[in-house]
């Protein structure tokens, strides 16, 4: 993987669980654990010897069914790598899903280490980023189906995350702005604060030019909101009252950490 696509996980390695239910999968899990120091391997008790060999000091064995472990994994970890079939993982996690803001990122890795498939919470949950780490660790090809990643365009809900920015927007506003970006609608991106080094470090690491449908501005007052499907505003300022109504439903505000070099 090139330097431009180095992954930045949104949580520490200690918040990642690697789950495997077969001997071959446990051996592969050991390589994953080695690439993610602090991660924990979960395996059936009957494979305790194999688990200890694969991840000494970084494993936990359970009795019973793997499905019985899902509630604790969802509660205790931000990211889950499952070396289990895709269909089985879908059935296992389905009863426990809540929303994209709180569900952990779940990635399925096949036993041959060929494919890393984000199944749940690709963006906010970090599953796409985990898949990128697995590419570096074991050579698995990430299978990214989120539109912004497939087209290598801007991911609205990840902009500036690696720089410590936080965003202010409702779920509906994120959905609308994301749709505007991937559907090539005109999008205004206004940057009044924060580091300008956010594109190459953004999401999965973009190396190409900013998409043509995204127009950059230096001040919010330079934007005619009616001309744009979404307005992305990076600033420390309160939203001017004169713009509040005009931006209703289609703005995402990003707040960089202060102080921060522009």
């Amino acid at each position: 993987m090139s330097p431009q696509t180095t992954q930045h996980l949104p949580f520490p390695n200690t918040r990642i669980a690697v789950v495997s239910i077969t001997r071959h999968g446990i051996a592969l899990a050991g390589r994953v654990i080695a690439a993610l120091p602090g991660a924990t391997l979960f395996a059936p008790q009957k494979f305790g010897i194999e688990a200890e060999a694969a991840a000494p000091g970084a494993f936990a064995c359970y009795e019973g069914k793997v499905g019985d472990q899902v509630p604790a994994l969802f509660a205790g970890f931000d990211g889950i790598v499952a070396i289990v079939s895709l269909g089985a993982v879908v059935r296992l996690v389905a009863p426990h899903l809540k929303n994209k803001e709180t569900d952990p990122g779940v990635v399925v890795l096949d036993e041959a280490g060929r494919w890393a498939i984000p199944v749940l919470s690709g963006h906010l949950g970090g599953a796409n980023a985990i898949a990128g780490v697995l590419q570096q660790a074991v050579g698995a090809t990430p299978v990214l189906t989120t539109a912004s990643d497939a087209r290598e365009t801007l991911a609205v809900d990840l902009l500036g995350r690696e720089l410590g920015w936080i965003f202010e927007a409702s779920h509906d506003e994120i959905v609308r702005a994301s749709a505007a970006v991937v559907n090539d609608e005109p999008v205004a991106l206004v940057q009044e604060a924060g580091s300008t080094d956010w594109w190459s470090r953004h999401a999965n690491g973009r190396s190409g030019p900013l998409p043509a449908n995204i127009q950059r501005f230096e001040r919010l007052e330079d934007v005619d909101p009616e001309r744009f499907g979404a307005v992305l505003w990076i600033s420390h300022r309160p939203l001017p009252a004169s713009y509040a109504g005009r931006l209703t439903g289609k703005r995402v505000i990003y707040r960089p950490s202060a102080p921060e070099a522009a």
Side-chain angles (χ1 to χ4, degrees):
M1 181 177 278
S2 66
Q4 289 82 5
T5 54
T6 298
Q7 298 303 307
H8 302 272
L9 293 175
F11 37 74
N13 291 351
T14 53
R15 300 285 299 176
I16 298 178
V18 182
V19 181
S20 182
I21 59 176
T22 67
R23 284 192 175 90
H24 292 297
I26 290 169
L28 177 60
R31 296 168 59 192
V32 176
I33 296 290
L36 295 169
T40 302
L41 167 61
F42 288 83
Q45 184 65 54
K46 64 181 179 180
F47 295 135
I49 294 175
E50 290 85 351
E52 183 174 13
F59 72 98
C61 291
Y62 59 85
E63 296 282 2
K65 298 178 179 179
V66 65
D68 296 336
Q69 314 309 311
V70 174
L73 293 172
F74 265 48
F77 295 91
D78 296 315
I80 299 172
V81 177
I83 308 177
V84 184
S85 75
L86 177 59
V89 169
V90 170
R91 294 181 185 278
L92 289 170
V93 304
H96 307 284
L97 303 185
K98 294 180 180 177
N99 58 67
K100 64 187 295 183
E101 285 78 21
T102 60
D103 289 336
V106 177
V107 180
V108 165
L109 180 65
D110 69 289
E111 283 198 6
R114 289 186 295 246
W115 309 105
I117 310 170
V119 178
L120 183 67
S121 296
H123 280 176
L124 293 180
N128 288 4
I130 293 174
V133 170
L134 294 176
Q135 182 179 25
Q136 295 172 306
V138 301
T141 300
V143 181
L144 305 182
T145 57
T146 43
S148 60
D149 295 297
R151 298 186 56 219
E152 295 196 352
T153 188
L154 188 150
V156 170
D157 51 358
L158 294 185
L159 176 58
R161 183 175 68 181
E162 293 85 0
L163 297 170
W165 300 1
I166 59 174
F167 65 79
E168 300 172 4
S170 67
H171 173 77
D172 289 344
E173 286 169 332
I174 288 291
V175 170
R176 178 172 178 177
S178 298
V181 169
V182 300
N183 289 320
D184 297 325
E185 297 177 32
V187 173
L189 189 148
V190 187
Q191 183 160 13
E192 299 177 347
S195 171
T196 57
D197 182 24
W198 51 262
W199 178 244
S200 62
R201 299 181 62 187
H202 159 68
N204 289 312
R206 312 307 194 197
S207 57
L210 196 66
N213 65 312
I214 299 176
Q215 185 175 348
R216 302 186 71 160
F217 295 87
E218 295 183 355
R219 296 176 66 254
L220 183 62
E221 286 76 9
D222 296 332
V223 177
D224 178 2
E226 286 70 31
R227 292 181 48 229
F228 296 94
V231 176
L232 312 179
W233 185 41
I234 308 164
S235 181
H236 295 307
R237 288 196 289 155
L239 181 63
S242 59
Y243 272 78
R246 299 173 69 190
L247 293 177
T248 297
K250 64 177 181 180
R251 96 291 188 275
V252 180
I253 301 174
Y254 301 88
R255 301 300 192 189
S257 301
E260 182 180 325

